């Protein structure tokens, strides 16, 4: 179990890539334990397991010491067993909110962001059923921010620590402004209306943090990512857990490879969502014929979401699929820091040693049924995946 007793460093660098789960949760717990004024934490999944209870204990201690402590979790990502954790945290002074509870999970209703009368909440939750908060973020004292793909779940730990050896990535950022992250958190927490969000969104279009909590920011984020891919000259190294590209993203990757860019995709061999690898493989033939390299990770469940484009990198919660582009709330960080780039380069090279390279001959000899099933998933459920 990760502990928060030791200082990760006497003086933290401006950016620090975290990929080892034990290291990540140690940094997260240490940041919570040393908070002086505020803690804002968002997670898609927060499970009632040993790690979840360890984090609850840290949050309760912080709140009891006078730190304003707030937590947002998603109504789909958290199960009914989250209610006891929420009750414990509320008693200790932690403010807890659940984003769009599922209508049939009545135990989540008291923690909903919406304060509509109870008789209207069911229809409100039902109308927003497809919109989830997929962000994973910790902001402490408005000075240190951790962004990535780690949920608050035992599954992400290494096998030796009782987990399932998920492969994730995050980045800890200090020494810069996190005002856009703070405001993005407030926009959800306070349930601010669309008019306010539209006015604030103009401030964040060139921010290092890539937001999508308004329609204009969502379109701007997609435009920025596609623009970076379109202008790549040397490399596009992509690690993604749920790769289901829409036609424009697929066309952009193919065009980059055809003009000589090293386009290399690292994707999961197996996933916590079983049909996702099948759906991803539907696109392999077009990508391979264009000269892209594709590897499937085999050492565990690949859940990281990183993108290295020439001398820039993106780390965060976004998958390259319709859900992340058009439906879910996401948060990513765009970095040009040399150490961040070196760390991600080393991680990518290490991950490839635990992966199998896919070839066109393999597609012809195996996996035809899976690709057909992937096509059917796209045909029937493209709006949701």
């Amino acid at each position: 179990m990760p502990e928060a007793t030791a200082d990760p460093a006497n003086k933290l660098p401006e950016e620090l890539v975290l990929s080892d789960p034990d290291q990540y949760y140690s940094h997260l717990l240490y940041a919570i334990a040393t908070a002086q004024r505020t803690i804002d934490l968002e997670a898609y999944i927060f499970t009632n397991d040993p790690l979840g209870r360890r984090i609850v204990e840290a949050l309760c201690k912080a709140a009891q010491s006078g730190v304003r402590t707030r937590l947002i979790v998603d109504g789909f990502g958290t199960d009914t067993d989250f209610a006891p954790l929420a009750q414990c945290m509320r008693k200790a002074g932690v403010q807890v909110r659940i984003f769009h509870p599922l209508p049939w999970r009545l135990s989540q209703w008291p923690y909903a962001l919406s304060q509509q009368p109870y008789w209207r909440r069911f229809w409100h939750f039902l109308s927003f059923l497809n919109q989830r908060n997929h962000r994973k973020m910790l902001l402490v004292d408005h000075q240190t921010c951790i962004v990535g793909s780690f949920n608050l779940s035992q599954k992400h730990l290494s096998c030796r620590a009782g987990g399932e050896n998920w492969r994730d990535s995050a980045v800890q950022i200090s020494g810069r402004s996190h005002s856009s992250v703070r405001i993005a958190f407030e926009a959800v927490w306070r349930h601010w209306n669309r008019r306010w969000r539209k006015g604030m969104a103009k401030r964040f279009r060139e921010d290092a943090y890539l937001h999508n909590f308004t329609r204009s920011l969502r379109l701007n984020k997609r435009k920025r990512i596609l623009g970076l891919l379109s202008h790549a000259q040397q490399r596009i190294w992509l690690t993604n857990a749920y790769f289901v590209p829409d036609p424009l993203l697929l066309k952009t990757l193919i065009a980059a490879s055809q003009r000589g860019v090293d386009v290399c995709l690292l994707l999961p061999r197996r996933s916590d969502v079983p049909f996702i690898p099948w759906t991803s493989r539907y696109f392999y033939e077009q990508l391979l014929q264009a000269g892209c390299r594709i590897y499937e990770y085999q050492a565990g469940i690949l859940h990281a979401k990183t993108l290295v484009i020439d001398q820039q990198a993106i780390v965060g919660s976004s998958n390259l699929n319709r859900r992340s582009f058009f439906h879910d709330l996401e948060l990513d960080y765009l970095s040009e820091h040399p150490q961040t780039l070196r760390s991600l380069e080393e991680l990518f090279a290490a991950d490839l040693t635990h992966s199998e390279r896919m070839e066109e001959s393999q597609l012809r000899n195996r996996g035809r049924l899976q690709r057909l099933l992937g096509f059917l998933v796209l045909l029937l459920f493209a709006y949701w995946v």
Side-chain angles (χ1 to χ4, degrees):
M1 180 65 61
E3 296 293 339
T5 54
D7 187 341
N10 291 327
K11 184 179 180 181
L12 290 172
E14 292 180 357
E15 295 181 18
L16 178 65
V17 173
L18 303 168
S19 60
D20 177 85
D22 301 336
Q23 180 194 33
Y24 171 82
Y25 291 113
S26 292
H27 276 259
L28 182 119
L29 289 167
Y30 179 79
I32 292 171
T34 56
Q36 299 297 312
R37 299 183 304 278
T38 62
I39 295 171
D40 291 330
L41 177 62
E42 279 184 283
Y44 176 62
I45 295 174
F46 196 134
T47 53
N48 190 345
D49 56 26
L51 177 62
R53 292 189 288 273
R54 180 76 178 88
I55 294 169
V56 165
E57 180 185 353
L59 293 172
C60 289
K61 285 183 178 180
Q64 290 169 339
S65 68
V67 177
R68 189 198 67 186
T69 306
R70 301 185 295 181
L71 168 68
I72 300 175
V73 297
D74 185 75
F76 184 84
T78 52
D79 209 335
T80 53
D81 64 357
F82 178 74
L85 298 182
Q87 292 170 7
C88 176
M89 286 186 281
R90 273 198 170 179
K91 288 180 181 179
V94 179
Q95 301 174 57
V96 182
R97 298 285 187 274
I98 297 179
F99 184 87
H100 294 168
L102 298 183
W104 50 88
R105 291 182 179 170
L106 299 182
S107 63
Q108 295 183 345
W109 285 29
Y111 305 96
L113 292 161
S114 172
Q115 297 302 311
Q116 294 180 351
Y118 270 78
W119 63 272
R120 293 183 58 186
R121 289 192 187 188
F122 179 88
W123 303 109
H124 175 79
F125 298 153
L126 191 64
S127 63
F128 289 100
L129 191 63
N130 195 43
Q131 296 182 21
R132 313 314 318 172
N133 186 349
H134 197 244
R135 302 193 299 210
K136 293 98 172 166
M137 181 279 298
L138 173 67
L139 180 61
V140 172
D141 295 337
H142 301 161
Q143 295 179 352
T144 300
C145 187
I146 304 178
V147 175
S149 61
F150 287 90
N151 289 301
L152 305 181
S153 171
Q154 185 87 9
K155 291 182 178 181
H156 293 257
L157 290 174
S158 62
C159 291
R160 67 179 181 274
E164 298 181 6
N165 203 37
W166 284 32
R167 168 68 182 86
D168 284 278
S169 292
V171 60
Q172 178 171 298
I173 308 109
S174 56
R176 64 166 297 124
S177 172
H178 309 295
S179 61
S180 69
V181 178
R182 177 179 58 81
I183 293 172
F185 184 93
E186 295 288 350
V188 174
W189 183 266
R190 299 182 184 277
H191 215 56
W192 278 333
N193 61 39
R194 292 182 179 180
R195 181 178 297 179
W196 182 92
R197 294 185 186 190
K198 184 177 181 180
M200 292 300 298
K202 296 177 181 179
R203 295 173 50 181
F204 304 149
R205 288 179 180 168
E206 300 300 325
D207 198 84
Y209 288 101
L210 304 179
H211 298 281
N212 68 347
F213 63 91
T214 72
R215 186 175 184 276
S216 61
L217 281 176
R218 192 176 292 276
L219 294 173
N220 180 68
K221 177 179 177 178
R222 176 175 163 79
K223 181 179 178 181
R224 288 179 73 180
I225 293 174
L226 290 173
L228 290 172
L229 294 172
S230 298
H231 291 93
Q233 299 296 316
Q234 301 168 338
R235 62 182 177 181
I236 297 173
W237 293 355
L238 181 157
T239 301
N240 208 259
Y242 309 107
F243 179 74
V244 188
D246 60 33
L248 184 54
L249 175 58
L250 182 66
K251 180 180 178 180
T252 302
L253 291 172
I254 288 173
S257 182
Q258 290 175 335
R259 67 172 182 269
V261 177
D262 177 22
V263 179
C264 187
L265 284 64
L266 177 62
L267 307 175
R269 169 61 55 88
R270 61 187 180 92
S271 172
D272 60 313
V273 182
F275 62 80
I276 288 295
W278 309 343
T279 310
S280 298
R281 288 173 194 143
Y282 173 74
F283 302 98
Y284 281 10
E285 186 172 6
Q286 298 177 69
L287 291 162
L288 290 172
Q289 289 177 351
C292 302
R293 294 184 292 142
I294 301 175
Y295 291 81
E296 289 188 345
Y297 187 75
Q298 300 182 80
I301 291 183
L302 180 70
H303 191 249
K305 304 99 166 48
T306 65
L307 188 56
V308 177
I309 307 171
D310 293 344
Q311 298 307 308
Q312 294 179 299
I314 298 174
V315 181
S317 65
S318 293
N319 295 299
L320 293 177
N321 60 9
R322 289 172 176 81
R323 285 216 62 84
S324 287
F325 276 129
F326 301 114
H327 302 300
D328 294 346
L329 288 179
E330 306 283 4
L331 179 61
D332 303 271
Y333 179 69
L334 176 62
S335 175
E336 297 180 352
H337 197 286
Q339 184 56 52
T340 298
L341 285 164
R342 282 195 296 271
S343 296
L344 291 174
E345 288 168 0
E346 292 168 2
L347 279 173
F348 195 79
D351 287 338
L352 292 187
T353 66
H354 299 290
S355 306
E356 180 185 8
R357 184 169 180 176
M358 306 304 294
E359 305 286 353
E360 286 188 69
S361 58
Q362 292 174 297
L363 298 182
R364 289 192 293 268
N365 296 331
R366 69 184 191 190
R368 292 181 181 178
L369 177 59
Q370 289 184 354
R371 294 200 304 281
L372 176 60
L373 291 173
F375 171 74
L376 292 175
V377 169
L378 284 173
L379 191 65
L380 298 174
F381 305 107
Y383 180 77
W384 291 277
V385 300

